[in-house]
Amino acid sequence: MVDVLSRQHDRARALLAELHETVAAVADITGDMAEPFRELVQLLVGHETAEELVVYPALRSELEEGRLAEARMAEEHEVKQLLARVEKMAAGFFAFPAALGELEARVLAHAEQEEQTVLPLLEQRLPAGERQRLGADVLYAAARAPSHAHAHSPGSAVGHAVLDPVLATIDRVRDAARR
């Protein structure tokens, strides 16, 4: 079991290092993009609002071009919907490098604490056969765990035993649907 957990820690470290390297390069770019994106959103929202309040009513009433106004307003409606969707996505995009850095620090600190406190106790106080059985249990549980993090997942063994199979099924259905 100690070997299984140690290998998982090592793999997590390797994946975090790989992500860190890639995201560090992206963070430089995204940091430069945040302000122009915010400015673009404000410009487009203000522009569309002004056209809807001033330009299209003038097209309708003063120039009697209702069809033209309706066509342009329909286009703007589509742009607004897409802009709202992109703006929601951008918040996460711009926050991702910092959030990943925080996650990396916490995962590495947690692994270090386990390796200094928990794993030595297991190694010293459990017989080899028991550690081997528990290692198989760890692999079994990990293989059947949900495939995504759930912020409100249970914090107890009983809660995991009851809820994880449901969450894992939901995750796997979602994963299959996304492919």
Side-chain angles (χ1 to χ4, degrees):
M1 169 184 46
V2 172
D3 290 341
V4 170
L5 295 173
S6 293
R7 282 194 307 272
Q8 289 176 345
H9 286 177
D10 291 343
R11 182 66 182 140
R13 283 186 185 96
L15 290 169
L16 284 166
E18 186 178 329
L19 284 169
H20 181 80
E21 190 175 302
T22 304
V23 171
V26 173
D28 290 339
I29 296 167
T30 58
D32 293 341
M33 292 169 44
E35 182 56 30
F37 180 77
R38 186 191 59 74
E39 189 177 331
L40 174 66
V41 169
Q42 288 179 336
L43 172 69
L44 292 175
V45 169
H47 176 84
E48 290 170 5
T49 299
E51 285 180 341
E52 289 172 8
L53 289 174
V54 178
V55 175
Y56 299 132
L59 272 176
R60 275 193 200 100
S61 63
E62 295 175 30
L63 302 178
E64 297 180 2
E65 290 289 343
R67 281 190 182 154
L68 181 60
E70 292 302 317
R72 297 302 72 85
M73 287 180 66
E75 292 169 355
E76 281 196 1
H77 179 72
E78 290 174 6
V79 168
K80 263 193 243 181
Q81 288 180 327
L82 182 56
L83 181 62
R85 195 171 89 215
V86 170
E87 188 176 19
K88 277 184 186 177
M89 292 166 47
F93 176 73
F94 293 126
F96 182 77
L100 182 62
E102 182 180 351
L103 175 67
E104 179 182 23
R106 289 182 184 214
V107 166
L108 295 178
H110 174 74
E112 186 70 28
Q113 286 298 313
E114 279 186 351
E115 289 168 359
Q116 290 177 3
T117 59
V118 176
L119 300 185
L121 282 174
L122 294 171
E123 189 76 47
Q124 294 164 5
R125 295 187 183 173
L126 289 178
E130 180 67 7
R131 289 195 312 269
Q132 191 172 16
R133 185 189 66 75
L134 291 174
D137 289 350
V138 166
L139 292 173
Y140 180 85
R144 281 149 188 78
S147 57
H148 298 279
H150 296 273
H152 302 291
S153 66
S156 69
V158 171
H160 280 289
V162 171
L163 194 55
D164 280 0
V166 174
L167 294 173
T169 301
I170 292 168
D171 286 353
R172 284 173 180 72
V173 169
R174 276 191 204 153
D175 293 346
R178 289 181 183 152
R179 291 181 198 162

